[in-house]
């Protein structure tokens, strides 16, 4: 816990610490199965002499030093860190480093950070969260949407074919007749309303 507080104090006091502009880690999250292995990548965009790797454990509330890998590929491990479990490989002329973790266990859960030190400043990566479970969740099954039904189209049939369906005169002739009758019934009503309005207007002006 004391190491964590010291780390946070340095983070707040030294400019450039905890920045993720110079060190980019991928992926952001990893969900792996027990007894399997995994890896995470750290891209370094600044001159350096080697890369440090740390792990923050939310459960144990501690910030643990894992290992340091110099440009020659020689690794220095932290206390109680197994060499057969953690290893670092350089990629693309010392601009990227890959941390390999094998024999995964629940104790490996945490957020892993790569870091470089330069001019008395410590630069920290963006972090990669690792979760180890006994059984990986099954992928969600994608359900296919039912095929869309084609809209019914009105097709003009030949004169020799009897006209049926929605385009038949048996459907639209009565409908057109009903609409016409409705419009005709509105004419007397409109005329009556006009006469009432005119009488009211004359009565108001006479007063």
């Amino acid at each position: 816990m004391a190491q964590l507080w010291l780390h946070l104090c340095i983070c707040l006091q030294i400019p450039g610490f905890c920045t993720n502009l110079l060190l980019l880690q991928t992926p952001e999250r990893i969900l792996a199965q027990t007894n399997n292995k995994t890896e995470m990548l750290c891209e370094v965009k600044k001159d350096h002499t080697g890369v440090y790797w740390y792990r923050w454990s939310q459960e144990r509330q501690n910030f643990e030093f894992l290992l340091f890998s110099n440009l020659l590929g020689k690794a220095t491990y932290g206390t109680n860190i197994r060499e057969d479990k953690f290893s670092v490989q350089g990629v693309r002329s010392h601009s990227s480093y890959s941390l390999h973790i094998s024999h995964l266990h629940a104790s490996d859960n945490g957020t892993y950070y790569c870091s470089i030190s330069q001019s008395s400043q410590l630069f920290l990566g963006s972090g990669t969260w690792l979760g180890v479970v006994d059984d990986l969740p099954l992928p969600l099954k994608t359900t296919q949407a039912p095929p869309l039904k084609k809209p019914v189209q009105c097709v003009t049939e030949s004169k020799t074919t009897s006209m049926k369906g929605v385009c038949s005169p048996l459907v639209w002739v009565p409908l057109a007749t009903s609409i016409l009758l409705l419009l005709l019934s509105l004419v007397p009503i409109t005329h009556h309303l006009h006469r009432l309005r005119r009488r009211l207007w004359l009565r108001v002006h006479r007063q």
Side-chain angles (χ1 to χ4, degrees):
M1 190 64 181
Q3 292 180 351
L4 173 61
W5 282 111
L6 177 61
H7 172 78
L8 293 177
C9 291
I10 297 175
C11 177
L12 294 176
Q13 295 177 4
I14 299 180
F17 192 89
C18 289
T19 179
N20 58 9
L21 298 177
L22 302 177
L23 294 96
L24 177 62
Q25 290 183 235
T26 54
E28 294 182 1
R29 298 174 63 88
I30 298 176
L31 186 62
Q33 194 170 9
T34 304
N35 296 325
N36 282 357
K37 60 183 180 180
T38 188
E39 64 177 307
M40 56 194 70
L41 187 66
C42 176
E43 296 186 15
V44 184
K45 302 179 181 179
K46 191 176 182 65
D47 294 337
H48 59 284
T49 58
V51 175
Y52 299 84
W53 287 91
Y54 298 91
R55 175 176 60 199
W56 162 250
S57 174
Q58 182 68 28
E59 181 180 356
R60 296 187 295 270
Q61 290 291 302
N62 67 342
F63 200 70
E64 184 179 14
F65 167 69
L66 299 177
L67 61 93
F68 169 76
S69 178
N70 61 21
L71 297 178
L72 299 177
K74 184 179 180 180
T76 303
Y77 290 84
T79 305
N80 299 325
I81 301 300
R82 293 165 45 190
E83 298 184 14
D84 61 336
K85 186 177 182 67
F86 296 93
S87 62
V88 176
Q89 295 181 1
V91 186
R92 293 200 299 265
S93 302
H94 308 300
S95 62
S96 297
Y97 294 85
S98 178
L99 175 65
H100 295 255
I101 310 175
S102 58
H103 313 295
L104 291 173
H105 191 264
S107 59
D108 297 319
N109 289 337
T111 303
Y112 290 74
Y113 294 93
C114 63
S115 175
I116 61 173
S117 176
Q118 188 180 61
S119 302
S120 301
Q121 293 186 357
L122 190 61
F123 298 92
L124 202 65
S126 51
T128 296
W129 177 86
L130 172 63
V132 181
V133 295
D134 292 334
D135 297 308
L136 293 176
L138 296 175
L140 297 177
K141 294 182 178 180
T142 56
T143 56
Q144 294 183 351
L148 298 176
K149 294 182 179 180
K150 294 183 179 180
V152 179
Q153 298 180 352
C154 292
V155 180
T156 305
E157 299 180 355
S158 60
K159 295 181 180 180
T160 59
T161 307
S162 60
M163 303 187 68
K164 299 179 181 181
V166 295
C167 294
S168 174
L170 296 177
V171 176
W172 61 265
V173 170
L175 181 61
T177 304
S178 301
I179 296 175
L180 181 60
L181 292 176
L182 179 61
L183 293 175
L184 292 177
S185 64
L186 292 177
V187 173
I189 297 175
T190 305
H191 180 68
H192 181 68
L193 292 175
H194 178 71
R195 292 179 59 186
L196 290 177
R197 181 181 177 184
R198 182 174 179 78
R199 288 179 182 178
L200 180 61
W201 183 82
L202 292 175
R203 182 176 299 178
V204 171
H205 282 73
R206 287 174 182 175
Q207 294 179 355

